Amino acid sequence: MNHSRRRRTAAASALAVTGVLLAAGCGGEASGSSKEETSTLKGTPVKVMVWAPEDTQGSAQPGVRLTAQAYEKWINANGGIKGAPLKVLTCNEKGNPDEAEKCAQQAVAEKVVAVVGSYSLAGDRYMPILEKAGIPYIGGTGVSAAEFSNPLSFPVNGGTPVVFAAHGRQLVQNGCKKISGVRYDVAAAAVVSQFLTVGAVSAGAPAPKDIKVPLTATDLAPQVAAATKGSDCVSVIMGTASGLFVKSYVQSGAKTKLGSVVGNLTPQLAESTGGAGGPLEGAAITGYFPPTSDAAWKDFLAATDGDKDIDTSNGANETTWVAFKVFTEAAKKLPTITAKALVQELDTAPGISTGGLTPPLSWKASTALPIKGLNRIHNTTATELTIRDGKIEWAKPGSTFVDVRKVLTALSSG
């Protein structure tokens, strides 16, 4: 009982670390206010804000801003928000909690009706500011604990708990009888192993081996040997450094199957290691959303067509697009679009459509995940994907969302 309680507490505190493992980072241009669009739309602009780290070492996410601006341009070309133009204000939080707090203060000063689809590890600093001002935070990327506990946060995916529990189940259902999980040797990242174990055990397999990698390691041959010995599947959970493991894996000549959650074994890594003939072909990938080849992404692909700076397979960028879809659907139901009215709509709507990118979303009290510190998780679904011909696709024809609510609810009462 005490062990279970410790696991639940650790789950909330570890989201900042594990979030870095779920979203690919890259550099980009500095952010600022969005460009003015020449438009025939009338009415007072509907102002929202987006923030993300740019021009910083570590997990820079310039694609979040670019995706938001692409949505702004696309929606304004398609009627705007109830006939009024959407105006996206942006802020570079630079991966710095002080800067994230300044972004939140700017959102309050600008009287935005929502902060949408942003990325920041500093939720404990900005969420209290937004909560005090009554401004909803819609669809953050799920990389800070406050996003899954603050009543003004409306996440569109289930973050670390959901995707790793689903990943453990997917591996077992794919025939993996003995699994190893490889992750960095930091205390907070242990929660990754714990939720992977929850998923695997719930599907009938033993707990996976937990292989730890020192943060300073560059040669992962020892970890490859430990992970592949006596295992038939390895889950590589090292974020953008997953390539280090794959390089050592290839050099070892091992044939153990590989898998991971989205953001680790990427199409780019698959291409650089042999594509369809490489070691990542057929890897089990667990995600939040359908693959970008799915028809549900057609508007996103059209809106970002030709923009090589927007990686449409990046989880943070995809989440931003989904968050804007949610914002638009909620806002168009309101007589007057205000922050207070948006919160009320989001709290009571029975199911907001994202056009198939997620199941209909609800944040009613009855759909909350009953885990302390994670009670703002309402969407407990994930997607089972694979790398096929160097691209991420549905694992099987006809695949759809899988729900791990029962698995996680059992954990909360264990």
Side-chain angles (χ1 to χ4, degrees):
M1 182 69 174
N2 289 337
H3 179 61
S4 176
R5 187 176 296 111
R6 286 196 298 272
R7 286 195 299 182
R8 297 197 295 272
T9 302
S13 64
L15 288 174
V17 172
T18 54
V20 177
L21 304 178
L22 298 175
C26 51
E29 300 174 355
S31 61
S33 297
S34 58
K35 297 179 181 179
E36 294 293 332
E37 298 289 338
T38 301
S39 174
T40 58
L41 297 174
K42 298 180 180 180
T44 303
V46 179
K47 287 199 299 184
V48 301
M49 180 170 275
V50 172
W51 57 62
E54 300 193 44
D55 301 319
T56 179
Q57 302 263 330
S59 192
Q61 295 288 347
V64 167
R65 168 180 58 86
L66 294 171
T67 298
Q69 292 172 332
Y71 187 89
E72 174 190 38
K73 184 176 181 180
W74 176 81
I75 195 67
N76 287 342
N78 287 276
I81 308 292
K82 296 183 65 177
L86 174 66
K87 183 173 176 133
V88 175
L89 306 180
T90 65
C91 187
N92 181 3
E93 62 92 80
K94 301 177 183 177
N96 183 321
D98 292 336
E99 295 296 327
E101 189 172 298
K102 289 178 184 178
C103 288
Q105 291 166 343
Q106 182 185 343
V108 175
E110 293 280 359
K111 298 181 179 179
V112 302
V113 297
V115 176
V116 185
S118 297
Y119 182 106
S120 175
L121 300 175
D124 61 328
R125 296 283 291 275
Y126 61 76
M127 281 308 309
I129 296 171
L130 296 182
E131 183 180 9
K132 183 177 180 180
I135 297 173
Y137 185 79
I138 304 173
T141 311
V143 291
S144 79
E147 293 178 56
F148 291 124
S149 59
N150 191 286
L152 268 289
S153 177
F154 298 89
V156 298
N157 63 49
T160 300
V162 167
V163 77
F164 279 100
H167 183 51
R169 289 184 65 81
Q170 181 180 359
L171 290 175
V172 176
Q173 290 168 355
N174 278 11
C176 300
K177 294 182 173 61
K178 296 181 180 179
I179 303 167
S180 292
V182 180
R183 49 96 174 177
Y184 276 118
D185 188 10
V186 292
V191 76
V192 167
S193 176
Q194 290 166 354
F195 281 112
L196 181 67
T197 295
V198 166
V201 171
S202 73
K209 285 196 295 184
D210 184 23
I211 309 298
K212 303 170 186 176
V213 179
L215 287 171
T216 56
T218 54
D219 178 10
L220 272 58
Q223 286 77 24
V224 168
T228 55
K229 183 179 180 180
S231 298
D232 45 22
C233 295
V234 178
S235 179
V236 186
I237 313 160
M238 295 180 60
T240 53
S242 295
L244 287 174
F245 182 89
V246 175
K247 179 181 178 181
S248 294
Y249 170 89
V250 171
Q251 291 172 344
S252 76
K255 300 299 181 184
T256 307
K257 294 179 181 178
L258 300 180
S260 191
V261 301
V262 67
N264 291 268
L265 303 181
T266 64
Q268 293 83 358
L269 182 57
E271 182 179 356
S272 69
T273 54
L280 301 188
E281 181 71 7
I285 305 295
T286 312
Y288 297 116
F289 311 118
T292 52
S293 59
D294 191 281
W297 288 110
K298 66 182 189 318
D299 290 340
F300 182 37
L301 297 181
T304 58
D305 184 37
D307 192 335
K308 296 180 180 179
D309 292 326
I310 301 178
D311 178 2
T312 55
S313 68
N314 176 289
N317 300 345
E318 291 181 338
T319 300
T320 294
W321 185 268
V322 173
F324 270 98
K325 294 279 285 184
V326 167
F327 167 76
T328 301
E329 288 299 307
K332 72 183 185 182
K333 296 178 182 179
L334 304 175
T336 303
I337 302 171
T338 65
K340 183 178 181 179
L342 267 174
V343 171
Q344 174 70 14
E345 177 64 26
L346 292 167
D347 273 338
T348 58
I352 294 178
S353 172
T354 60
L357 297 174
T358 66
L361 297 177
S362 169
W363 292 271
K364 297 171 70 174
S366 59
T367 62
L369 187 65
I371 299 180
K372 186 177 180 180
L374 302 177
N375 56 297
R376 291 305 292 175
I377 294 179
H378 291 255
N379 178 11
T380 53
T381 65
T383 50
E384 295 182 346
L385 313 170
T386 191
I387 295 179
R388 185 179 300 119
D389 295 329
K391 299 178 181 179
I392 293 180
E393 301 287 356
W394 285 111
K396 300 175 182 176
S399 292
T400 186
F401 299 97
V402 295
D403 197 336
V404 294
R405 179 174 294 271
K406 289 182 179 179
V407 173
L408 295 174
T409 301
L411 170 67
S412 72
S413 59

